[in-house]
Amino acid sequence: INQVQSMFSEKPSGYTPLVPVMEGIFQSRTARNGHDKKLLLLIATDGAPTDDEGEEAIDQLRELIKTKRNPDN
């Protein structure tokens, strides 16, 4: 419990490049149709998604999820 508390005592900093990371996951072999296991993606973050410049990328994340997510795998 102390480790978790100490992690959450730090203020958020840096970028949160979720879009490129998730693009890589959705393009991975595990996420492709025909794979024998479903893919569960759990995201825990301390901030809004950002691009490489630190600008918020919420719309890009929504679009990625809408277009790339495949509930069948």
Side-chain angles (χ1 to χ4, degrees):
I1 293 177
N2 288 337
Q3 287 178 324
V4 173
Q5 287 175 335
S6 69
M7 290 172 67
F8 282 99
S9 68
E10 294 181 29
K11 294 189 182 237
S13 63
Y15 300 150
T16 308
L18 288 177
V19 173
V21 171
M22 288 178 61
E23 283 175 335
I25 291 169
F26 288 146
Q27 293 172 5
S28 71
R29 190 173 151 212
T30 304
R32 292 186 190 144
N33 285 333
H35 199 272
D36 63 340
K37 304 277 184 197
K38 288 191 176 250
L39 176 68
L40 172 65
L41 181 59
L42 175 68
I43 300 169
T45 179
D46 64 356
T50 59
D51 62 16
D52 292 336
E53 306 292 319
E55 299 295 321
E56 281 194 1
I58 295 171
D59 291 336
Q60 294 91 329
L61 180 62
R62 282 188 187 125
E63 186 65 22
L64 174 71
I65 291 170
K66 190 167 68 174
T67 60
K68 300 288 184 180
R69 183 181 159 271
N70 184 350
D72 294 330
N73 60 358

